């Protein structure tokens, strides 16, 4: 079995899109930065997001049965850092770092300028410290963004990578 350091070093080389997974229950909102998000199938439209089971965000997703995936653009780095826990803000206070509105279908927190998918939980699978949450997509806002990615321990906009490759 591979050791933790090697595992983390290998995964640091995997570039991944940066997302904020949000949820709401009554007047309370929760959210986390997540890179473990991907499509599952188109019919029915289904995605998955992985979260640590010890977070308030996971617990609220489990209890509310709904979540949104906000796909960040390259101008959202500071918001991603806030929702990753940098700066010490917790819970509902994290939402003060940016402008949000309620999604059209489930009224979940949607970041202005992000592409967003509103989901109803269809299944939760526990694996170690994390849960894989499958969501049936019931609403979407498409913004035509240039995505923010995470690679080698840092956030990067794809436009900077494209301009370096072209130059």
């Amino acid at each position: 079995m591979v050791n933790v350091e090697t595992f983390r070093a290998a995964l640091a080389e995997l570039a991944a899109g940066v997302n904020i997974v949000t949820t709401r229950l009554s007047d309370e909102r929760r959210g986390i930065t997540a890179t473990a998000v991907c499509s599952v199938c188109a019919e029915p439209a289904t995605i998955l997001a992985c979260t640590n089971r010890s977070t308030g965000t996971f617990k609220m997703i489990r209890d509310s049965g709904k979540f949104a995936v906000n796909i960040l653009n390259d101008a959202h780095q500071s918001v991603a850092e806030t929702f990753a826990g940098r700066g010490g803000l917790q819970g509902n206070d994290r939402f003060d770092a940016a402008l949000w509105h309620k999604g059209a279908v489930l009224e979940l927190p949607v970041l202005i300028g992000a592409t967003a998918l509103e989901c109803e939980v269809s299944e939760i699978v526990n694996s170690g410290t994390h849960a894989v949450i499958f969501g049936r997509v019931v609403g979407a806002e498409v913004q035509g963004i240039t995505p923010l990615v995470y690679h080698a321990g840092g956030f990067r906009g794809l436009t900077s990578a494209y301009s370096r490759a072209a130059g």
Side-chain angles (χ1 to χ4, degrees):
M1 181 170 270
V2 69
N3 65 44
V4 172
E5 294 79 22
T6 303
F7 176 71
R8 287 184 176 156
L11 287 184
E13 296 188 11
L14 174 65
V18 181
N19 311 277
I20 296 177
V21 176
T22 60
T23 191
R24 180 183 62 77
L25 187 59
S26 300
D27 292 334
E28 287 294 312
R29 301 173 294 179
R30 294 287 181 273
I32 56 166
T33 298
T35 55
V37 172
C38 70
S39 66
V40 175
C41 60
E43 292 183 30
T46 304
I47 63 173
L48 66 79
C50 300
T51 67
N52 190 307
R53 291 185 297 144
S54 69
T55 67
T57 300
F58 168 73
K59 293 170 185 166
M60 191 174 285
I61 291 170
R62 180 195 61 208
D63 294 347
S64 70
K66 57 189 178 181
F67 66 97
V69 171
N70 294 270
I71 304 169
L72 304 188
N73 71 44
D74 57 1
H76 287 135
Q77 180 175 337
S78 65
V79 183
E81 290 173 351
T82 297
F83 278 80
R86 297 177 187 156
L89 295 176
Q90 296 289 322
N92 209 44
D93 293 339
R94 289 181 175 176
F95 290 87
D96 293 339
L99 298 176
W100 300 82
H101 68 93
K102 289 182 180 179
V105 179
L106 299 176
E107 297 186 346
L108 293 168
V110 170
L111 179 61
I112 292 176
T115 289
L117 301 166
E118 291 184 276
C119 304
E120 294 175 337
V121 174
S122 58
E123 184 177 1
I124 297 175
V125 177
N126 294 326
S127 181
T129 58
H130 282 63
V132 181
I133 306 166
F134 292 85
R136 187 173 57 86
V137 180
V138 296
E141 294 182 21
V142 180
Q143 301 294 330
I145 64 165
T146 300
L148 181 65
V149 297
Y150 190 79
H151 177 258
F155 295 107
R156 298 162 186 1
L158 279 183
T159 52
S160 60
Y162 286 139
S163 62
R164 280 196 306 272

